[in-house]
Amino acid sequence: MKVSNEEAHEASIKQVVLEVDGTKDVISQKDEKKKMPQMINDIRSMMRSIGDGEISISAYDTAWVAIVKKMDGDSPQFPSSIRWIIQNQLSDGSWGDEAFFLVQDRMINTLACVIALKSWNIHEDEQEKGLSFIRENWWRLEDEELDDWMLGGFEIIFPRLLEMAVDLGLDVHCDEYALRDVFAKRDQKLARIPKDLLHNAHTSLLFSLEGMQDVDWKRILKLRCPDGSIMSCPASTAYALMQTGDNKCLEFLDGIIKKFNGGAPTFYPIDLFEHLWLVDRLVRLGISTYFTSEIKECLEYVYRYWSDKGLFCTSDVPFSDIDDTAMGFRLLRLHGYHVSPRALKQFEMDGEFFCFARESNKSLTCAYSLYRACQVAFPGEDDLQRAEIFSHQFLHDRRDSHNLKDKWLIPKDLSGEVGYALDMPWKASLPRIETRMYLEQYGGSNDVWIAKVLYRMYLINNDILLQAAKADFSSFQRMCRLELHGIKKWSKWKNLEMYGVSPKSVLQAYFLAASSIFEPNRATERLGWARTAVLAEAVSSHFRRSTSPDTTREGFVSKLTGDRCNNIESGAKGSTESSLLHALHEHISFLSFDDASSDNLCESWKQWIVTWTSRDCQGNAALLLVRAVEICSGRHGCLTDQKLDLYKYSWLEHLTSSICRKVCARAQDGQSTENAGDSNRQVDLQMKELARCVLKGDSGINEPTRHTFLHVVKSFYYVAHCSPETVDSHISKVMFEDVI
């Protein structure tokens, strides 16, 4: 089989890394090598089988379905739902999420199931066990901390269940004061809701339809979704069916019950939510590169439903919320889809942004999704700028007040996720750093979602994802240690410490490259970046030490562009400068796979040296890194073959040079990225323009090349943004601390 120059070159670099001192560094990875492909295949199979959503069953919704009578008699329309209730009572007599105890969840599920059984006067023992649980735990509902995790619509739905229980003669043994308090909260909330709002449009009120009073059913049925449901909610739809006998509601519930073997989830389908959040988890866990085609299919599916009206968790409901819309906007934009932030404007009112209209308290995770979406703004998108200001302040205030619980999600470490987003904006966040942090924040199957009840999303919160991500990152760390060992050896062989290159600077150079370009098959680009950065530092130090920098540079350029073969042969025996030239020539030869790539790389170094100044060398150093990565990858030589807009390529180079020069100058002057005034605003504007050029993808420049510019710029921004202590901490975590 014929091997290309690039493949042979890649193999030679890996061989140098693995045989640094003449003997192979063998690491036992048999178990991981066996498990990793299987885990990847399992995840791929799950992604290819994505349908309308893998979600847990809600005892509450199942109970409402179980209450439904046959249209032509007094027997249950769905007897399998009753069987599900009996089979899923917990050992303490309650129903609800078994692994996570939230008293509201257990009480509302349990009371609904008891009512369902009492409605048919069956299974008295199970009824009594459920009632005993309610009586013993009623006091817990008065816990003030419950407001942190409030079930959606609880103040409306729970009083309705209590009324039904009283009508059925069930004795829940709660005192009169407690009952008055429950109903008072319900009445206060309903009083704030205009009656026409429920009947005129699709709003979040329809999620709690079974708790509403004075319903005009003729108008409500006009708000049915195309699948026959009321907002894709089985409980709301079951209540509508009881009141109207509507066949479309019946057909929806019949399909749900058959699919879930008697049970009913809290809403269904949940297709858009699952597609979006699964992609987000794969990207943040650092394993998205294994599933490129599957992710494309997921996003193509979402994009079919994208409009300026935004997105909701399901494609069947003509409704939208800020959480799904923000997540969809960010992921679609990051993957090159043309989406407008106009979809987010509808969630703005009086300078604030909301998830649902008239919501009583704002969601932390919705603000978090919004803030992340605003990070990928393009120039002129003022709506996103306002949203970013609001969401940043909201998250900052919640963090300062240590109020980091959310009303939609109970994850492992939401405070860590919010803290990372606030401390490391997208323009400074390197992929492998974010992944390393998220591996500690992601709870896998232990994460719980909140709606009318607690529920689980089995694909989004999945232990296989976590195990695969940990195995992949551990493999990445081993690769890093081998490559770092090689580059340290190389630096020592070339005596670069004599030019001011410290072991720490070699480590940081490699860390920045590896945190940005981390894929195992891109060792050429990663090492090309790291070695170029190290040599650029050595050359800069050599010029700074010279008594006549300009003369030194001119002589260096002349020798660099002379007879490179003779220079390589004589360099080791010559002067200090000759030794440095020898290292540079050898580096160029090492990264090049033909004469053209060698000439291109040499010319890039020449351009950098000619424009070098002791004060302002970083902007052109960034371009040197970009060109080194592109040349040694083989892409630079293909630029003439692309339908390339040279102006747009030059514009990318200009933005890269300008941004990196400004952030480095700011760091040299001791200014933080938060306190740099006009310079900061200029950089922000240019970063938005760079994001537009890279993410929009209409320039004819291939995607890997565009992202090389972005990777390099973000690495410069990262160094300027973070303190040396933070960088050291990240290096330790990403490269040396085992993932547990």
Side-chain angles (χ1 to χ4, degrees):
M1 183 177 69
K2 187 175 179 181
V3 179
S4 67
N5 288 337
E6 291 88 344
E7 288 172 333
H9 185 57
E10 181 86 22
S12 70
I13 287 189
K14 288 182 178 178
Q15 189 71 7
V16 169
V17 171
L18 292 170
E19 298 184 356
V20 185
D21 56 358
T23 59
K24 289 189 177 182
D25 186 358
V26 180
I27 299 178
S28 176
Q29 303 171 33
K30 290 183 180 179
D31 289 341
E32 252 179 38
K33 284 184 177 179
K34 288 179 182 177
K35 292 178 182 178
M36 191 64 182
Q38 184 59 53
M39 288 190 287
I40 296 302
N41 286 335
D42 289 345
I43 297 169
R44 187 170 287 124
S45 296
M46 289 190 297
M47 295 189 72
R48 289 175 177 172
S49 65
I50 286 181
D52 288 333
E54 294 293 327
I55 184 173
S56 59
I57 293 175
S58 158
Y60 169 79
D61 288 80
T62 303
W64 272 101
V65 174
I67 295 171
V68 176
K69 295 180 180 180
K70 279 189 175 181
M71 300 299 105
D72 56 355
D74 290 332
S75 60
Q77 176 69 42
F78 301 103
S80 61
S81 295
I82 296 175
R83 287 195 296 272
W84 188 95
I85 290 172
I86 296 304
Q87 293 166 1
N88 288 274
Q89 187 172 26
L90 301 179
S91 59
D92 61 1
S94 70
W95 283 266
D97 191 287
E98 183 174 10
F100 189 94
F101 185 94
L102 180 66
V103 67
Q104 288 181 357
D105 176 70
R106 293 293 183 89
M107 293 287 272
I108 201 168
N109 279 295
T110 303
L111 186 53
C113 287
V114 170
I115 289 170
L117 297 179
K118 181 63 176 177
S119 297
W120 302 109
N121 288 314
I122 55 177
H123 298 285
E124 292 183 0
D125 288 346
E126 284 74 12
Q127 289 183 45
E128 185 54 38
K129 289 178 183 176
L131 286 172
S132 294
F133 175 87
I134 292 170
R135 295 164 189 152
E136 292 168 6
N137 288 275
W138 183 274
W139 65 272
R140 296 178 186 271
L141 288 176
E142 300 172 11
D143 189 341
E144 294 180 358
E145 292 186 5
L146 283 176
D147 289 339
D148 294 330
W149 288 324
M150 175 69 73
L151 297 180
F154 183 81
E155 310 100 307
I156 294 174
I157 295 169
F158 192 63
R160 173 62 176 146
L161 291 178
L162 288 172
E163 289 173 340
M164 293 170 69
V166 171
D167 290 343
L168 289 169
L170 291 170
D171 184 6
V172 295
H173 282 202
C174 59
D175 62 67
E176 187 176 343
Y177 174 79
L179 277 176
R180 281 204 309 268
D181 186 53
V182 167
F183 289 119
K185 288 180 179 178
R186 189 265 307 271
D187 294 340
Q188 288 173 8
K189 184 161 186 174
L190 290 177
R192 296 197 302 266
I193 302 171
K195 285 189 177 181
D196 283 345
L197 188 63
L198 174 66
H199 297 92
N200 289 343
H202 291 91
T203 68
S204 59
L205 296 175
L206 292 173
F207 292 125
S208 307
L209 181 62
E210 65 271 27
M212 293 296 174
Q213 301 170 340
D214 303 323
V215 176
D216 184 338
W217 288 106
K218 186 177 291 187
R219 296 168 69 187
I220 286 294
L221 288 182
K222 292 180 180 179
L223 298 176
R224 281 174 317 196
C225 298
D227 61 5
S229 73
I230 304 296
M231 297 295 278
S232 294
C233 292
S236 298
T237 307
Y239 184 54
L241 175 59
M242 291 179 209
Q243 302 300 318
T244 66
D246 182 74
N247 278 330
K248 289 186 177 180
C249 291
L250 177 61
E251 289 172 6
F252 170 77
L253 292 174
D254 189 57
I256 292 287
I257 296 307
K258 287 177 179 176
K259 179 175 179 60
F260 290 92
N261 298 315
T266 190
F267 37 67
Y268 194 83
I270 194 165
D271 51 334
L272 294 179
F273 179 58
E274 183 171 79
H275 281 71
L276 285 170
W277 262 258
L278 180 56
V279 171
D280 176 71
R281 272 29 177 187
L282 291 171
V283 172
R284 294 168 74 189
L285 287 168
I287 53 176
S288 59
T289 53
Y290 293 102
F291 312 104
T292 305
S293 61
E294 290 80 11
I295 286 175
K296 183 177 181 181
E297 289 178 13
C298 281
L299 295 179
E300 286 287 348
Y301 180 86
V302 172
Y303 192 56
R304 289 203 295 270
Y305 297 99
W306 177 265
S307 73
D308 286 350
K309 294 180 180 179
L311 296 173
F312 188 50
C313 62
T314 171
S315 57
D316 284 337
V317 176
F319 182 68
S320 61
D321 67 81
I322 200 170
D323 203 14
D324 292 283
T325 302
M327 181 69 85
F329 173 81
R330 186 179 62 84
L331 288 176
L332 289 170
R333 173 161 284 189
L334 285 173
H335 287 83
Y337 292 85
H338 290 213
V339 288
S340 169
R342 286 192 297 272
L344 292 165
K345 185 172 177 57
Q346 63 185 303
F347 303 106
E348 182 181 15
M349 181 181 292
D350 300 328
E352 296 188 350
F353 288 78
F354 55 85
C355 183
F356 297 132
R358 299 179 183 273
E359 61 186 1
S360 56
N361 64 309
K362 289 183 169 56
S363 161
L364 184 67
T365 52
C366 289
Y368 174 62
S369 292
L370 179 62
Y371 182 64
R372 294 174 71 206
C374 297
Q375 303 286 297
V376 292
F378 294 167
E381 294 181 334
D382 296 337
D383 293 342
L384 286 186
Q385 186 172 359
R386 293 195 303 275
E388 181 177 10
I389 293 171
F390 167 78
S391 55
H392 180 273
Q393 189 62 52
F394 180 85
L395 294 174
H396 193 274
D397 291 346
R398 290 286 290 266
R399 181 169 68 167
D400 284 352
S401 63
H402 304 289
N403 182 13
L404 290 168
K405 289 184 179 179
D406 184 53
K407 68 176 185 178
W408 300 126
L409 177 62
I410 307 173
K412 177 183 176 182
D413 185 15
L414 185 55
S415 63
E417 294 183 56
V418 170
Y420 183 84
L422 290 174
D423 297 336
M424 296 294 297
W426 177 75
K427 56 196 169 190
S429 177
L430 307 186
R432 244 16 189 181
I433 300 174
E434 181 178 17
T435 292
R436 183 64 180 85
M437 300 305 175
Y438 193 58
L439 286 171
E440 297 181 355
Q441 297 158 359
Y442 177 68
S445 62
N446 291 321
D447 288 351
V448 188
W449 297 84
I450 307 172
K452 288 194 282 191
V453 296
L454 299 182
Y455 67 100
R456 309 276 178 157
M457 292 297 297
Y458 295 124
L459 294 190
I460 296 169
N461 303 106
N462 192 301
D463 289 335
I464 296 178
L465 300 186
L466 185 57
Q467 292 164 13
K470 287 182 176 181
D472 178 72
F473 203 90
S474 296
S475 177
F476 162 77
Q477 288 180 316
R478 288 191 295 270
M479 177 191 72
C480 285
R481 290 161 192 164
L482 285 171
E483 291 181 352
L484 179 61
H485 180 65
I487 200 170
K488 282 182 174 180
K489 283 280 190 179
W490 164 78
S491 178
K492 187 174 182 180
W493 287 343
K494 300 307 171 187
N495 201 23
L496 297 183
E497 196 164 350
M498 179 173 64
Y499 304 98
V501 176
S502 66
K504 185 174 181 178
S505 61
V506 173
L507 172 60
Q508 181 167 310
Y510 176 78
F511 163 72
L512 294 174
S515 293
S516 304
I517 301 175
F518 56 86
E519 298 86 344
N521 63 345
R522 299 181 70 185
T524 311
E525 299 161 62
R526 188 165 47 249
L527 293 173
W529 175 335
R531 285 191 172 194
T532 299
V534 170
L535 278 172
E537 182 179 349
V539 173
S540 293
S541 178
H542 175 61
F543 293 161
R544 289 192 186 97
R545 292 176 179 181
S546 172
T547 55
S548 179
D550 290 342
T551 303
T552 302
R553 280 192 302 111
E554 291 172 5
F556 201 89
V557 169
S558 177
K559 293 173 185 177
L560 176 66
T561 56
D563 188 344
R564 294 204 294 274
C565 290
N566 288 335
N567 284 331
I568 290 174
E569 292 174 1
S570 61
K573 301 178 182 179
S575 63
T576 299
E577 182 172 89
S578 296
S579 178
L580 184 56
L581 276 164
H582 171 264
L584 183 52
H585 282 136
E586 199 170 66
H587 168 69
I588 292 171
S589 177
F590 181 70
L591 293 182
S592 307
F593 47 84
D594 57 24
D595 289 342
S597 61
S598 178
D599 291 341
N600 282 331
L601 198 50
C602 186
E603 181 62 25
S604 297
W605 275 96
K606 177 185 173 182
Q607 291 177 14
W608 175 68
I609 293 170
V610 166
T611 57
W612 184 94
T613 66
S614 60
R615 169 69 181 172
D616 185 17
C617 62
Q618 294 302 323
N620 290 321
L623 292 182
L624 180 61
L625 293 179
V626 170
R627 291 165 184 165
V629 169
E630 290 302 296
I631 289 169
C632 69
S633 71
R635 291 190 294 269
H636 188 80
C638 299
L639 290 178
T640 55
D641 299 331
Q642 301 179 35
K643 294 179 180 179
L644 184 66
D645 186 328
L646 292 177
Y647 169 78
K648 290 182 178 178
Y649 191 88
S650 298
W651 183 236
L652 272 176
E653 291 192 317
H654 166 75
L655 290 170
T656 298
S657 177
S658 179
I659 294 169
C660 294
R661 185 182 298 112
K662 286 186 176 73
V663 297
C664 289
R666 195 165 59 192
Q668 287 176 351
D669 292 338
Q671 294 177 302
S672 69
T673 53
E674 289 82 9
N675 301 308
D678 290 339
S679 174
N680 202 36
R681 285 187 286 273
Q682 292 173 19
V683 169
D684 283 347
L685 183 60
Q686 288 185 320
M687 281 297 299
K688 290 178 180 178
E689 175 63 13
L690 179 66
R692 186 191 67 79
C693 293
V694 171
L695 300 177
K696 206 167 183 181
D698 57 358
S699 61
I701 305 169
N702 65 45
E703 184 179 358
T705 297
R706 299 197 310 271
H707 277 86
T708 298
F709 283 98
L710 184 61
H711 286 322
V712 169
V713 170
K714 289 178 75 171
S715 73
F716 275 71
Y717 200 104
Y718 166 80
V719 173
H721 178 78
C722 296
S723 67
E725 294 77 17
T726 299
V727 174
D728 289 344
S729 172
H730 288 164
I731 290 174
S732 177
K733 269 195 169 295
V734 170
M735 295 181 61
F736 302 113
E737 293 180 23
D738 291 340
V739 178
I740 301 173

